[in-house]
Amino acid sequence: MTAPALTARPPLAARLRWAAADGLTLVGRELSRLRQEPGELIAALIFPAVMVVLFGYVFGSAIKVPGGGNYREYLMPGLFVMVSFTSVMAVTLRVATDASRGVMDRFRAMPMARSAVPFGQAGADLIHGVLALVIMAATGLIVGWRAHRGLWPTAEAFLLLLLMRHALGWAGCYLGLVVRNEQTADQFVPLVFPVTMLSNSFVPTGGMPSWLQAVADWNPVSAATAACRQLFGNPGAPAAGGDGLAWPLAHPVTATLLWSIALIAVFAPLSVRTFQRRGR
């Protein structure tokens, strides 16, 4: 007599529900951890507001906006993108801290979906991103920034920022699993700032040397910043048709979507696979 197959895999829909439920549980874990360490959350929310005031008033009197306009309106899309990009190192640090303290090993010993841990980290960071955008947008309104194209394009811009942040959250999760050491991850934090600065976020790229301008124009930070300027109707938005512009700046919304999809397609499976293999 043949024994029943007790190890048969459950249907795909059941596995997806299981992974989603476990992932949401871990999102809740990250949020509860912040309640126990409110200083981390407060610092993360104060940082965007400080950036608005610091860059807006320090650079505002020294930089001329191409085509004219208020520099703080030119600046705000760049700051939105900068904060979204710096989140990659925050996720890297949190994941590396959990790995170095043995938390990841305990997760592997539990009957949970292997994709739940990376999903939980990226999902929790997305909630942090919503709070940061709210704080930054409120501060921007106080200093004179406005969105001029109406409700739907404004919502599109913020959704695009959150999609990019979510994609970067997967990248941060993978880096944290690879590094596995919070001290090493902390040393990587300053490396994000050159990426955000070498772009059109704070200054026009037209005054850069030709080789450096090419790097800045193809930087995904520049594409995301140009997309937000276009959707918000802020100064510095790419001209219709994009004549003479690099392709990412001529089609910034499409370029940002493609960057985000590519990051998720690469780092989501890498994160899950790395989490699985670290336990072997």
Side-chain angles (χ1 to χ4, degrees):
M1 182 170 57
T2 304
L6 298 177
T7 59
R9 297 185 68 185
L12 176 61
R15 297 201 304 272
L16 291 175
R17 286 195 300 270
W18 177 34
D22 288 345
L24 291 174
T25 300
L26 290 180
V27 170
R29 170 201 175 250
E30 288 299 316
L31 297 180
S32 65
R33 185 178 63 82
L34 285 176
R35 286 198 299 268
Q36 297 169 4
E37 301 175 5
E40 181 181 338
L41 179 60
I42 292 171
L45 295 180
I46 289 177
F47 174 74
V50 171
M51 291 296 100
V52 172
V53 176
L54 180 63
F55 283 97
Y57 287 99
V58 171
F59 289 172
S61 59
I63 298 175
K64 293 183 179 180
V65 178
N70 186 321
Y71 177 72
R72 284 186 284 278
E73 287 207 336
Y74 175 86
L75 172 71
M76 283 304 301
L79 286 178
F80 284 135
V81 176
M82 175 186 174
V83 170
S84 297
F85 266 75
T86 54
S87 68
V88 67
M89 294 316 303
V91 177
T92 299
L93 186 57
R94 285 198 298 270
V95 173
T97 300
D98 280 349
S100 64
R101 297 178 180 177
V103 176
M104 294 298 179
D105 294 331
R106 289 196 289 272
F107 283 151
R108 291 188 193 93
M110 298 173 66
M112 62 191 303
R114 291 297 178 248
S115 60
V117 172
F119 175 85
Q121 293 286 351
D125 184 70
L126 193 61
I127 296 175
H128 300 166
V130 172
L131 295 174
L133 287 178
V134 169
I135 297 294
M136 182 174 282
T139 309
L141 291 171
I142 292 172
V143 302
W145 168 75
R146 296 292 183 272
H148 300 285
R149 293 194 55 200
L151 179 61
W152 179 242
T154 301
E156 284 182 321
F158 284 119
L159 288 173
L160 197 64
L161 288 165
L162 291 174
L163 174 63
M164 176 62 80
R165 180 163 184 142
H166 184 61
L168 290 164
W170 283 102
C173 186
Y174 171 71
L175 292 174
L177 289 169
V178 170
V179 172
R180 301 184 68 190
N181 184 290
E182 55 189 301
Q183 287 78 24
T184 304
D186 196 44
Q187 298 301 315
F188 287 161
V189 171
L191 299 180
V192 175
F193 289 98
V195 177
T196 58
M197 298 297 288
L198 186 56
S199 67
N200 62 2
S201 297
F202 308 112
V203 296
T205 61
M208 298 179 180
S210 58
W211 65 271
L212 193 60
Q213 181 180 352
V215 173
D217 288 347
W218 283 87
N219 186 342
V221 175
S222 293
T225 300
C228 289
R229 286 181 181 140
Q230 185 180 84
L231 292 169
F232 288 139
N234 290 153
D243 295 336
L245 296 175
W247 187 87
L249 298 185
H251 309 86
V253 175
T254 302
T256 305
L257 286 171
L258 290 176
W259 273 112
S260 301
I261 293 169
L263 286 170
I264 294 173
V266 170
F267 287 106
L270 276 177
S271 298
V272 175
R273 189 176 301 117
T274 303
F275 177 75
Q276 292 173 331
R277 289 181 176 177
R278 287 299 184 187
R280 295 177 182 175

